[in-house]
Amino acid sequence: MSTTAVGSAATPGSAWAPWLQQQLQHLLAQRGHAWLLQGPSGLGQQALGLALARYWLCEDQQPAGACGTCASCKLVDAHTHPDLCVLMPETAMIALGWPLDESSQKKIDDKERKASREIRVEAMRGAVEFSQRTSARGRGKVLLVYPAERMNAVTANALLKTLEEPPGDVKFVLASEAAHQLLPTIRSRCLSHNMLWPVEAQSRQWLQEQGVDADTAAVLLRAAGGRPADVLAWTEDQVSARQWRQLPRALAQGDVQALAGRSPAQMLDVLIKLCHDWMALSSGAAPRFFDEADLPAAPALPALVTWSAELRKLLRHAEHPYNAGLLQETLVAQVHALCRQAGRSSPTRAKAA
Ligand SMILES: [Zn+2]
C-alpha cells in the first residue's frame, strides 16, 4: 500500500520497497557527490543506488525521488541513459539486464571467454572515459558501481583517481556488500550510508506484494536471515518453502540431489546455516534458520565445531572454479557421515545409561 502510494512513477523496478524509499529520502535530503551504500547482501543497495542515480538524472525531480515519466527516467529504466555508467561484474550485468560493450558481448557470445565475476579493468577504463565526456542531456553524469568490492587493485586505483579528481559533473554511487574489502582511500572519499534492516512484518508484506505467498515468505525470510531481497531472488530461482524445510533431512540421508542447482557459495551457505542451527540446538538455544521440527537429531558438538571450521575455510575460496558436482557430493557425504555417527552414538549412550 505504502509502496503504491509512493507511486509507480518513483519506483525504479519491481523490487522497490518502503524501507528503500525511506532511505532514499534520507539521502536526497543530504548533499554529496559520492555515496557508499554498505551493508550485508539482500538489503537492496543496488536498487537504492540506482534510485539515487535516477533522481540525479531526472528532468522533473519530485520530493519523493525521480518523476519516472520524463525522457531521462525512461532512458534509465531502459538501461540506455547516455549519462549513466553502470559498472558491475559481467555476470551481474547479464543477470540484471544491463548491456555489455560490444566487444565483450561478442567474446562471450563466441565463447572466447566466460562472463567475468569481477569488475574488469577494461570496463573501468570505459568508465574513466565516460567521466571525462560532456554530459549528453545536460544534467551531469552518474557512475554506479556494484558490488564495489568486486574491483581488483588496478580497477580500484583507477576509480580512486577519478574520485579524487572528479571531472566536474560526475556523481558516484558505490554499493557494496563487503565494504571492508574496499581500499580505505576509496571509503574515505565517499559519504557512507549503512543500509537499514527492514522489520519482519514489513518484509513479509512486501514479499506478498511481490507475489510470494505468506507461508513461503515466512519460511524463506527465516532461511535468508531476514533479508527480503535474497528471498525474492530465491523464489525467482524456484526455491520453495517446502524444499527448504526438507533440506536438513535430505542431507542427513545423504541425498546428493538436495543441493542440486546451487552454486558452491550457495551450497556452503545452506550447510553453514544447518551447522549453526545444530550447534544452537546442542547448546540448548533455538535454531535460527530452520524450524526445529525440520531438523534431524544433531551430531555431537565437537564434530559440529570441526565441521563448522571446515565449511568456513571452504567459503573463503567459494569463488574458485570448483567442480560443483564433486563439491556437492563431498559436502553431502560429510553431512551423511556426521548424522550416521550421531545415530550410532546415541543408542550406545542410551544403553550405557
Ligand atoms: Zn524523471
Side-chain angles (χ1 to χ4, degrees):
M1 284 162 287
S2 52
T3 26
T4 41
V6 162
S8 58
T11 61
S14 61
W16 196 238
W19 59 89
L20 291 177
Q21 181 58 35
Q22 191 190 334
Q23 295 176 77
L24 177 63
Q25 296 208 239
H26 167 77
L27 295 177
L28 296 187
Q30 303 186 48
R31 287 168 191 276
H33 80 283
W35 279 102
L36 169 61
L37 313 179
Q38 55 176 324
S41 75
L43 295 185
Q45 37 276 71
Q46 196 266 347
L48 182 59
L50 186 57
L52 191 56
R54 193 171 178 253
Y55 173 81
W56 281 336
L57 296 169
C58 175
E59 284 153 24
D60 186 17
Q61 292 175 334
Q62 305 290 310
C67 75
T69 49
C70 72
S72 211
C73 284
K74 291 213 178 335
L75 286 167
V76 171
D77 295 345
H79 297 179
T80 53
H81 199 299
D83 294 330
L84 172 63
C85 176
V86 171
L87 210 52
M88 290 193 268
E90 288 169 344
T91 46
M93 299 281 278
I94 294 167
L96 296 169
W98 288 87
L100 298 180
D101 69 86
E102 256 177 67
S103 94
S104 302
Q105 185 68 57
K106 189 173 183 303
K107 282 184 182 136
I108 295 168
D109 288 345
D110 294 348
K111 299 201 162 47
E112 268 181 52
R113 64 173 178 83
K114 284 191 176 171
S116 170
R117 293 172 155 277
E118 271 200 347
I119 294 172
R120 301 185 75 234
V121 180
E122 291 78 357
M124 178 54 80
R125 280 194 201 115
V128 171
E129 270 172 38
F130 162 88
S131 68
Q132 289 159 351
R133 241 181 270 150
T134 315
S135 157
R137 298 189 60 85
R139 297 201 60 87
K141 290 166 295 177
V142 183
L143 179 59
L144 171 66
V145 189
Y146 169 81
E149 66 274 13
R150 294 290 180 89
M151 290 184 287
N152 64 25
V154 179
T155 324
N157 275 299
L159 176 70
L160 181 62
K161 264 194 108 184
T162 317
L163 269 172
E164 281 173 338
E165 297 155 25
D169 60 350
V170 191
K171 292 188 167 83
F172 302 84
V173 198
L174 279 61
S176 175
E177 293 170 357
H180 60 278
Q181 291 174 12
L182 295 175
L183 291 178
T185 38
I186 287 190
R187 286 205 305 265
S188 68
R189 288 278 158 183
C190 300
L191 288 172
S192 178
H193 170 75
N194 291 316
M195 297 298 295
L196 298 180
W197 286 86
V199 294
E200 196 188 337
Q202 210 176 22
S203 303
R204 282 197 200 199
Q205 189 193 336
W206 175 74
L207 282 167
Q208 284 173 253
E209 285 165 6
Q210 309 307 311
V212 180
D213 69 77
D215 280 352
T216 308
V219 173
L220 292 187
L221 254 182
R222 184 171 184 179
R227 300 171 190 187
D230 282 358
V231 174
L232 194 63
W234 290 357
T235 54
E236 278 159 9
D237 281 344
Q238 314 297 325
V239 175
S240 69
R242 199 169 139 240
Q243 201 186 352
W244 181 260
R245 298 195 58 179
Q246 288 172 344
L247 254 174
R249 283 187 205 286
L251 288 166
Q253 285 159 11
D255 175 3
V256 179
Q257 288 311 308
L259 292 178
R262 291 174 197 264
S263 70
Q266 289 167 334
M267 290 184 215
L268 290 165
D269 179 62
V270 170
L271 297 177
I272 286 169
K273 285 171 176 168
L274 177 61
C275 184
H276 169 279
D277 277 7
W278 266 337
M279 284 166 94
L281 275 180
S282 305
S283 28
R288 180 172 166 209
F289 304 102
F290 293 94
D291 191 306
E292 191 169 343
D294 297 328
L295 289 168
L301 196 53
L304 288 174
V305 172
T306 312
W307 187 42
S308 167
E310 275 171 31
L311 290 173
R312 286 180 192 281
K313 204 156 88 190
L314 281 170
L315 188 66
R316 280 199 290 276
H317 306 286
E319 291 289 315
H320 284 209
Y322 281 118
N323 177 331
L326 194 64
L327 183 69
Q328 181 178 327
E329 279 178 32
T330 313
L331 292 173
V332 175
Q334 275 177 358
V335 188
H336 188 46
L338 275 170
C339 290
R340 278 178 47 185
Q341 275 169 15
R344 265 205 301 275
S345 58
S346 44
T348 325
R349 254 209 314 269
K351 233 180 267 170

